[in-house]
Amino acid sequence: MAIMDEKRRLQQFYMRTVLTVGLIWGGFLLVQLLVFAITPGSQGTLLDTLAVVINCLTVGPASLLAFWHRRAACVWLVADGTFIAATTTRFTLRAHTYDWPLILGVLLSIALAICLLVMEARRWPGALARD
């Protein structure tokens, strides 16, 4: 049984930290979805609403999945990040307004996807790896 060296243990710590942030962000998004559901009226189209709902329902489960299957979670989060970024850009251009909380939330979802993608590309150890 090989002992994990210090660099790999630090990488594993960072992986766990990123995934924990993803779980916390996913939990916040679920609460945001509840608020979104009970708030009357929306400036967005059906596609914009669908993108917000998909993003809220994606980040937490994908972060949890990444503990065991990082590659699948990367694909899932990159697809979600691309979709939510495209619809947010479209909404911003159409409405001629900057919804900064929405934009920052989208950027955080994209940053999570990019972090996992870089960690996967560099073949960092999994969050639950033993050696």
Side-chain angles (χ1 to χ4, degrees):
M1 180 163 126
I3 297 175
M4 193 179 296
D5 67 345
E6 191 64 29
K7 180 180 177 185
R8 307 248 326 142
R9 290 180 68 72
L10 190 59
Q11 289 173 339
Q12 187 179 44
F13 170 77
Y14 290 143
M15 172 67 68
R16 289 175 179 172
T17 302
V18 167
L19 294 180
T20 302
V21 168
L23 288 172
I24 292 169
W25 178 238
F28 174 79
L29 287 175
L30 288 176
V31 172
Q32 182 183 1
L33 181 61
L34 290 173
V35 171
F36 182 72
I38 62 173
T39 303
S42 173
Q43 296 178 354
T45 64
L46 179 63
L47 184 64
D48 297 333
T49 303
L50 182 66
V52 169
V53 169
I54 288 173
N55 186 53
C56 289
L57 294 174
T58 290
V59 175
S63 297
L64 187 62
L65 176 68
F67 276 97
W68 293 276
H69 304 286
R70 188 173 54 208
R71 186 168 292 158
C74 284
V75 171
W76 190 3
L77 286 171
V78 167
D80 173 63
T82 303
F83 184 50
I84 192 73
T87 56
T88 302
T89 302
R90 191 175 80 87
F91 172 76
T92 301
L93 293 174
R94 185 176 37 78
H96 302 292
T97 182
Y98 295 103
D99 186 1
W100 288 110
L102 175 65
I103 292 170
L104 292 175
V106 169
L107 290 176
L108 185 57
S109 294
I110 292 170
L112 178 66
I114 289 172
C115 284
L116 281 179
L117 195 62
V118 168
M119 290 172 177
E120 177 63 26
R122 292 186 174 187
R123 301 191 186 280
W124 282 22
L128 302 177
R130 295 273 177 194
D131 35 64

